[in-house]
Amino acid sequence: MSTHNNPAITAAASALLQARVTRTPIAPISTSHGIAGLDVAYAVAELNTQAQLAAGRRIVGMKVGLTSKAVQQQLGVDQPDFGVLFDDMEVLSGQDVPMARLLQPKVEAEVAFVVGRDLTGPAPSYAEFLAAVAYALPAIEIVDSAIADWKITLVDTVADNASCGLYVLGDQPLSMGQVSLGELGMTMTKNGQTVSVGTGAACLGHPLRAAYWLACTMAERGQGLKVGQVILSGALGPMVPVVAGDVVRAQIGALGSVSCRMV
């Protein structure tokens, strides 16, 4: 399936955009629109990214998805995926999260990185990548799918901007050398009850490896990463559904805690 001027791609992008605007989940576009293959799925996502940019939104970061081996096996893939974070997706720790903007949200605890200098040109070495990462922060990603009942294949989640919803950032950044990210323990509570536990190693073996995968992937696509951008590196434990009224708090080892309330 060619990705240029393909009516199926345009129609799928339009259906996903409409689903989010009206907050009405739709059937998987992999079946309803015959979207198949990663390249085509990313082409659908890119159309909607361009539409958002034209509407005045700004890209402030990227997310890495499918970093857990269990989830990869579930979807039959051997690599993560990525999505785009826009400026109006950011929530600061302790703030309310507007459920009115979401369809069927779930939360997961993650390590967020802040890019300290532009990464442009060819794929960086791991050391070059490390030199470009300034800080780590605890984060909660509020994932959200436009596909009804989360009945997603790899193609569906990629086309739907990697099931991006909103994200919550902790307050206190730590510089990179100060914390052992692979050994971080994570505990997430919902209304005071523990609902998810995990470690830094659950995220592609180490959160920085997931972020490095992203840096290389963006370089290959000729896009790079820019100073000040956020990288959400992937879940440290299972994701959990939330409803209005829920208070979510994640404690991520030495990175500290981050919290939000769904309203």
Side-chain angles (χ1 to χ4, degrees):
M1 187 186 274
S2 161
T3 60
H4 294 294
N5 305 321
N6 184 303
I9 289 175
T10 311
S14 176
L16 286 168
L17 196 59
Q18 195 61 20
R20 289 203 176 271
V21 168
T22 61
R23 298 200 304 283
T24 310
I26 56 173
I29 53 123
S30 53
T31 48
S32 64
H33 289 74
I35 301 296
L38 260 185
D39 288 347
V40 179
Y42 278 121
V44 172
E46 180 62 23
L47 270 186
N48 281 338
T49 295
Q50 293 306 323
Q52 303 289 5
L53 293 173
R57 296 171 89 186
R58 208 162 55 80
I59 294 174
V60 295
M62 310 287 297
K63 70 159 279 187
V64 186
L66 311 181
T67 50
S68 134
K69 284 283 174 258
V71 174
Q72 287 186 6
Q73 284 162 3
Q74 199 180 323
L75 291 180
V77 294
D78 59 0
Q79 62 177 344
D81 69 348
F82 68 84
V84 175
L85 303 176
F86 293 101
D87 50 345
D88 61 350
M89 290 181 174
E90 184 179 86
V91 178
L92 298 184
S93 187
Q95 290 185 335
D96 289 347
V97 173
M99 289 292 285
R101 289 186 52 190
L102 301 162
L103 293 88
Q104 39 186 356
K106 301 183 180 195
V107 292
E108 50 192 35
E110 310 200 1
V111 178
F113 296 107
V114 180
V115 180
R117 64 173 90 149
D118 289 354
L119 270 172
T120 53
S125 70
Y126 189 57
E128 287 168 334
F129 162 73
L130 290 179
V133 179
Y135 302 109
L137 286 162
I140 295 168
E141 186 186 353
I142 301 158
V143 287
D144 194 24
S145 181
I147 305 299
D149 305 317
W150 279 89
K151 295 272 193 295
I152 55 172
T153 65
L154 174 66
V155 165
D156 294 301
T157 186
V158 166
D160 188 26
N161 194 27
S163 308
C164 263
L166 305 169
Y167 65 95
V168 187
L169 287 182
D171 292 321
Q172 180 61 52
L174 284 185
S175 58
M176 291 308 303
Q178 289 183 313
V179 58
S180 178
L181 295 165
E183 293 162 21
L184 287 175
M186 180 280 292
T187 304
M188 187 166 64
T189 62
K190 184 169 79 172
N191 307 325
Q193 301 292 313
T194 299
V195 289
S196 181
V197 294
T199 67
C203 179
L204 276 198
H206 193 288
L208 275 167
R209 284 295 178 90
Y212 179 54
W213 172 86
L214 178 74
C216 293
T217 300
M218 298 325 289
E220 283 158 16
R221 298 175 74 88
Q223 291 172 18
L225 294 168
K226 296 185 178 60
V227 62
Q229 286 191 333
V230 174
I231 301 172
L232 292 180
S233 60
L236 304 183
M239 62 180 183
V240 178
V242 282
V243 296
D246 285 343
V247 175
V248 179
R249 180 183 178 87
Q251 176 74 38
I252 307 179
L255 288 182
S257 66
V258 54
S259 66
C260 63
R261 184 173 60 139
M262 317 301 293
V263 296

